[in-house]
Amino acid sequence: MAKKKAKEIELDLSSNWDYAPSMESTGHIQLKKKYDLFIGGKFVKPKSGVYFDTINPATEEVLAQVAEANEADVDAAVKAARKAYDTVWSKLSGKERGKYIYRIARLIQERAREFSVIESLDGGKTIRESRDIDIPLAAAHFFYYAGWADKLDYAFPNRNPQSIGVAGQITPWNFPMLMIAWKIAPALATGNTVVLKPAETTSLTALKLAELFQDAGLPDGVVNIVTGYGQTGSHIVNHPDVDKIAFTGSTGVGKLIMKSIANTNKKSTMELGGKAANIIMEDAPLDQAVEGVINGIFFNQGHVCCAGSRLFIQESVYDIVMRKLKDRMQALVVGNPLDKNTDIGAINSKKQLDTIKKYIKIGKEEGAEIYQPNCTLPKKGYWIPPTLFTNVAQSSTIVKEEIFGPVLAIQTFRTVDEVISKANNTPYGLSAGVWSDKGSKVFNLTSQMRAGVVWGNTYNKFDPTSPFGGYKESGHGREGGLQGLEAYLKFNA
Ligand code: NAP
Ligand code: MG
């Protein structure tokens, strides 16, 4: 990729140089040509008879075929989950359930490299992220919730916690394996059984996980995986024998699901969209703040619900922050997700690429000023260079709407009150970031932000012990921590 050096250190801007490629090997991974549905502990052919291709968005090559579950397939999966709940899983002691979940966690660790490579192949995210973030965190969630399985009475003293039954779980494509771990681990720890539908573009790690459940000896039917499109998800949502819906995805689909279950006894947790504010105060450590902004929006191609997609810079440091930001963007490597040097991988799908391009076009049409560094994008696959917009207003479409791509909209502010009102002026409320040298300023801002997670002098940090979730149109309920357990329990006392 072409590089330009930072202006302030006066290097030759015209020279081009490349890192030597450092490719992650794919020789060790095992993928079947065709994947069936995972129901009752076995891979079974879909009654629909239909399969669809899952592709590598960096090359557009077909990786495998995946079954599309219809209503009858979903019904079979729910029946298997109910049977496993009634006959096995709800009858096991917490200690025994915990042993299975620990075993799953250990097996994920053992096969971490294979899962990481498959995650990057199927979804387009960089190997650095899937290897260092997605897969280790997924294992950490199973370890964490395994530890709670036999301690529910201590977690909720005097409340007599009871499992709910069959949980229907629907996950998105941005953190495929991690979102599955966030959902399956607490459901199993609390004694529920599961019917899960992964996102259509990233089903492979879910199906590899099904193989791992078989290896772990998890009793048949405790977790069932039905692949397919949105329609498959709606069959889960509308199935009368599903007791709880755990959904992560867009606010639009979240609203549809809430309407569908409004007249039922189904419990729900909704982890929806976001439009996070990242705020740089004039006294912030600016290099760290710039690095945090880069991480906040360009990490995982901006396919992050909590991406810091709105940046607010205090006016007095605007020029210097912009210079540092542009210089840093110039050094980002866009390209093959399996190359360990890559910072920004492939956009997950053609559909998402078109959405991001549409927003970039709208940004320009509405008069915003665009900056993209010079970089050569691969010929095949789905790519967007890191992009920032200045000269935007609170009313600009790219400031108001979730883009879900590597696109940053930048505004300035003078006072704390001004930035709080601007940052909170959004229908979303998932996350935010604040950068300042003074703890008192950080706490003042964080306490006034209407966001489920607010990071201080860091960004995109996750931990299984910490609850995650949103306000307003970013959803309800929390995943992670004790709150994540509570979402899978009913209380009789
Ligand atoms: P999406 O289109 O809402 O899809 C999410 C999941 O729901 C997918 O499995 C999808 O299947 C399925 N689905 C689609 N229509 C459905 C319907 N009518 N009934 C039931 N299920 C249905 O979202 P996405 O584009 O995959 O993911 C991006 C969104 O997720 C962003 O808005 C992002 O902010 C949000 N997100 C939020 C969090 C959080 O924790 N708050 C975390 C990650 C992502 P298909 O894949 O087949 O369409
Ligand atoms: Mg794919």
Side-chain angles (χ1 to χ4, degrees), residues 318-333:
Y318 178 75
D319 289 342
I320 182 166
V321 170
M322 286 305 295
R323 200 188 73 223
K324 285 176 184 288
L325 201 53
K326 288 180 178 176
D327 286 345
R328 183 66 184 88
M329 282 169 75
Q330 197 66 57
L332 292 172
V333 179

Side-chain angles (χ1 to χ4, degrees), residues 230-249:
Q231 189 69 29
T232 305
S234 72
H235 293 318
I236 298 179
V237 168
N238 294 316
H239 196 292
D241 204 28
V242 168
D243 301 298
K244 183 212 159 89
I245 298 295
F247 173 76
T248 300

